[in-house]
Amino acid sequence: QVQLVQSGGGLVQPGASLRISCEASGDTFSQYAVGWFRQAPGKVRGFVAGLSRRGDKILYEDSVKGRFTASRDNTKNTLVLEMSNLKPEDTAEYYCAAATMDGEAIAVLVSRYQYWGQGTQVTVSS
């Protein structure tokens, strides 16, 4: 098992930048592919970004491509999502997640991930 603890988030104005992070503990971190998901009120939890086990592959949802940067550091057991040019549509609770995976694959479905952070709220409003 791996435990994921998130930090960051908050209330920002449109166009602002924000950094959220996730720290992993427990099992060896590098055996997991990781992802970021978000869920707004009344909407299904959806994929934001994913990274393969070594970080060799990165995948972004179209609406955040060019604005969000996801990274992982397996020596520090950390995940970081850097968000820029934030829009009101980005308002949601954000979750980091981990999935057992072979090789350098990435999963985009919520059901594929076994372990989840507690979530952190990102609100973009003027």
Side-chain angles (χ1 to χ4, degrees):
Q1 299 245 334
V2 63
Q3 293 78 46
L4 303 173
V5 179
Q6 298 179 228
S7 61
L11 172 64
V12 298
Q13 294 185 340
S17 298
L18 198 64
R19 180 184 187 271
I20 59 176
S21 62
C22 184
E23 184 173 343
S25 61
D27 290 352
T28 303
F29 185 48
S30 60
Q31 70 183 294
Y32 300 100
V34 297
W36 291 94
F37 294 79
R38 64 186 179 184
Q39 187 169 20
K43 295 193 174 184
V44 67
R45 187 173 300 185
F47 178 81
V48 176
L51 296 93
S52 61
R53 290 170 61 185
R54 294 191 301 270
D56 291 342
K57 293 182 179 178
I58 306 175
L59 182 66
Y60 296 97
E61 194 271 328
D62 285 344
S63 69
V64 309
K65 198 173 299 181
R67 299 189 297 119
F68 289 13
T69 300
S71 61
R72 68 185 296 170
D73 187 339
N74 288 345
T75 67
K76 298 179 180 179
N77 295 336
T78 57
L79 314 173
V80 173
L81 183 67
E82 294 180 283
M83 301 172 285
S84 62
N85 192 24
L86 282 161
K87 307 176 185 296
E89 307 92 88
D90 296 318
T91 296
E93 187 160 0
Y94 284 71
Y95 300 87
C96 61
T100 54
M101 196 72 65
D102 292 329
E104 290 295 289
I106 298 173
V108 301
L109 297 180
V110 167
S111 61
R112 184 63 178 82
Y113 288 81
Q114 298 102 324
Y115 308 104
W116 293 85
Q118 79 276 20
T120 184
Q121 181 67 36
V122 173
T123 301
V124 185
S125 176
S126 59

